[in-house]
């Protein structure tokens, strides 16, 4: 999806979900807050075939298209990985 809000104070990234796996499908079209932590991996991928390069939370920008992996526990989404990139396979 697309990043709509970034809160550096809490480490939360809000993403408008465009596509998703079985767990994320009910959230398509909605904004979802993704909690990040010290274990979250941030990557940039220039194209679908490019090797991802590490980035930091500070490199994220509102409007970035991202794909994310993570889990939902007690109503809280926690991202284990957020990948920024213009040509990821999950994008329309």
């Amino acid at each position: 999806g697309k990043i709509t809000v970034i809160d550096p104070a809490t480490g939360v990234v809000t993403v408008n979900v465009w596509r998703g796996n079985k767990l994320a499908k009910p959230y398509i079209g909605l904004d979802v807050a993704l909690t990040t932590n010290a274990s979250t991996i941030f990557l940039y991928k220039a194209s679908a075939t490019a090797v991802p390069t590490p980035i930091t939370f500070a490199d994220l920008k509102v409007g970035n298209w991202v794909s994310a992996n993570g889990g939902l526990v007690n109503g809280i989404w926690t991202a284990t990985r957020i990948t920024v990139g213009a040509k990821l396979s999950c994008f329309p």
Side-chain angles (χ1 to χ4, degrees):
K2 191 176 199 178
I3 296 176
T4 57
V5 177
I6 299 170
D7 186 342
T10 62
V12 173
V13 178
T14 303
V15 175
N16 184 266
V17 180
W18 279 52
R19 294 186 184 184
N21 62 16
K22 184 178 177 182
L23 183 63
K25 282 192 186 226
Y27 298 91
I28 291 174
L30 302 176
D31 282 352
V32 172
L34 302 174
T35 301
T36 64
N37 56 38
S39 298
T40 304
I41 297 168
F42 300 96
L43 300 169
Y44 171 74
K45 194 166 180 184
S47 72
T49 58
V51 174
T53 56
I55 60 173
T56 67
F57 182 92
D59 294 315
L60 301 177
K61 306 283 184 255
V62 170
N64 282 154
W65 287 98
V66 298
S67 89
N69 284 9
L72 177 63
V73 177
N74 297 324
I76 298 172
W77 287 94
T78 300
T80 55
R81 184 214 22 95
I82 296 177
T83 304
V84 175
K87 300 281 186 183
L88 298 173
S89 63
C90 65
F91 300 149

